[in-house]
């Protein structure tokens, strides 16, 4: 089936959208700005109390309540893989409070990602909070499923180019559509997880929380995946119809 210019253009645009959404998705997974806390009075960070907060944040035993309190108090940011706080570079008690600040991060281990969340964060005896546990696990797994589906779609697309056929573009479109659903699911799980956490651990009065740019990249990635899917499917279906009509015309 020879390709008309319209189909070629649709496929090129779909491939570009697919590439951009993959880059956005990879960038959002790899960065730590899914959620940001802004502390209005971080002066206490330099005090002894501040130092004990940081030490607990970086300890292996830090539970959800411990590290969330530190995030509140120290202009924290949270990604899918890491949590970060901003602390003074030289934490001597005699150094002035307006000294240089530095951002220190600690990664969530694989066991952290699958660990149970408790009904009362930090209290192991309060029972498992199933909603938050599964939302957290999904927000960890879904982005990888999404990127995997798009890469698989790209492989099928390359095979389609090699075979000079547009039929596999339908499969590529369907995979991109499923990837878009996974990305939407990820965004939904993350928002729900944050809302439920803040119900259990309300933000202090002088702390403001907001979704960061890493989260926005994932939000933008989903519509791009759906648009790419629609273009792939449209090009393949319309081309197939025209090819069938052409064959019928020749036979007649």
């Amino acid at each position: 089936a020879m390709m008309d210019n319209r189909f070629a253009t649709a496929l090129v645009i779909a491939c570009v959208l697919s590439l951009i959404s993959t880059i956005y998705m990879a960038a959002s997974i790899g960065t730590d700005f899914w959620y940001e806390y802004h502390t209005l009075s971080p002066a206490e960070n330099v005090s002894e109390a501040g130092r004990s907060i940081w030490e607990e944040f970086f300890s292996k035993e830090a539970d959800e309540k411990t590290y969330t309190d530190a995030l509140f108090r120290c202009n924290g940011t949270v990604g899918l893989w890491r949590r970060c706080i901003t602390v003074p570079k030289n934490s001597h008690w005699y150094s002035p409070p307006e000294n240089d600040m530095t951002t220190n991060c600690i990664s969530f281990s694989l066991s952290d990602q699958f660990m149970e969340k408790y009904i009362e964060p930090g209290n192991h005896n309060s029972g498992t909070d199933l909603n938050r546990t599964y939302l957290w696990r999904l927000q960890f797994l879904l982005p990888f499923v999404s990127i995997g589906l798009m890469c698989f779609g790209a492989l099928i697309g390359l095979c389609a180019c090699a075979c000079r056929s547009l039929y596999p573009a339908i499969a590529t479109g369907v995979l991109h559509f499923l990837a878009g659903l996974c990305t939407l699911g990820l965004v939904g799980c993350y928002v729900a997880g944050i809302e439920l956490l803040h119900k259990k651990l309300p933000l202090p009065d002088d702390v403001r929380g907001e979704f960061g740019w890493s989260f926005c990249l994932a939000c933008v990635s989903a519509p791009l995946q759906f648009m790419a899917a629609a273009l792939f499917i449209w090009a393949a279906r319309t081309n197939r119809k025209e090819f069938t009509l052409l064959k019928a015309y020749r036979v007649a």
Side-chain angles (χ1 to χ4, degrees):
M2 283 305 290
M3 261 201 280
D4 188 318
N5 279 348
R6 285 178 308 156
F7 306 130
T9 308
L11 286 179
V12 168
I13 294 171
C15 291
V16 170
L17 290 174
S18 169
L19 183 65
I20 294 171
S21 67
T22 307
I23 292 168
Y24 279 8
M25 200 66 219
S28 80
I29 294 174
T31 49
D32 310 318
F33 295 89
W34 278 71
Y35 203 84
E36 303 174 30
Y37 296 101
H38 301 286
T39 314
L40 303 178
S41 55
E44 68 172 351
N45 292 356
V46 190
S47 67
E48 281 300 320
R51 193 157 316 110
S52 70
I53 289 176
W54 315 326
E55 281 164 7
E56 285 179 355
F57 180 83
F58 294 116
S59 80
K60 290 270 178 238
E61 282 75 53
D63 60 34
E64 192 181 28
K65 183 173 187 334
T66 308
Y67 73 70
T68 305
D69 283 344
L71 290 169
F72 287 168
R73 287 277 150 238
C74 307
N75 289 318
T77 61
V78 192
L80 296 182
W81 279 93
R82 297 201 306 173
R83 53 185 190 265
C84 304
I85 55 172
T86 308
V87 295
K89 264 188 184 155
N90 33 341
S91 50
H92 306 304
W93 61 268
Y94 52 80
S95 61
E98 62 275 3
N99 60 1
D100 287 346
M101 304 296 273
T102 180
T103 301
N104 291 346
C105 300
I106 188 162
S107 297
F108 291 108
S109 66
L110 209 55
S111 60
D112 286 341
Q113 298 285 16
F114 289 95
M115 198 180 274
E116 294 177 342
K117 304 281 179 197
Y118 300 106
I119 291 170
E120 286 173 32
N123 179 357
H124 298 239
N125 302 322
S126 60
T128 307
D129 187 332
L130 286 178
N131 286 347
R132 290 195 314 115
T133 302
Y134 285 104
L135 285 170
W136 188 279
R137 289 175 186 177
L138 282 171
Q139 82 187 28
F140 166 66
L141 293 169
L142 284 172
F144 295 107
V145 176
S146 176
I147 284 190
L149 287 168
M150 286 204 293
C151 292
F152 189 45
L155 277 177
I156 292 176
L158 286 173
C159 298
C161 288
C163 309
R164 301 207 165 177
S165 160
L166 258 182
Y167 297 158
I170 287 188
T172 304
V174 169
L175 288 171
H176 275 72
F177 180 74
L178 293 174
L181 287 179
C182 288
T183 307
L184 267 187
L186 156 69
V187 167
C189 287
Y190 195 83
V191 172
I194 285 284
E195 291 297 319
L196 289 172
L197 174 65
H198 289 166
K199 271 192 183 147
K200 311 267 181 193
L201 297 174
L203 287 173
D205 292 338
D206 60 344
V207 176
R208 189 167 52 82
E210 62 187 14
F211 291 100
W213 59 265
S214 304
F215 174 80
C216 296
L217 284 181
C219 292
V220 173
S221 187
L224 291 176
Q225 288 164 334
F226 288 130
M227 282 151 68
L231 283 168
F232 279 127
I233 292 168
W234 174 83
R237 281 189 55 112
T238 317
N239 193 51
R240 183 181 283 186
K241 265 189 203 153
E242 296 213 352
F243 181 59
T244 313
L245 285 172
L246 195 67
K247 265 203 324 206
Y249 178 71
R250 278 191 185 148
V251 169

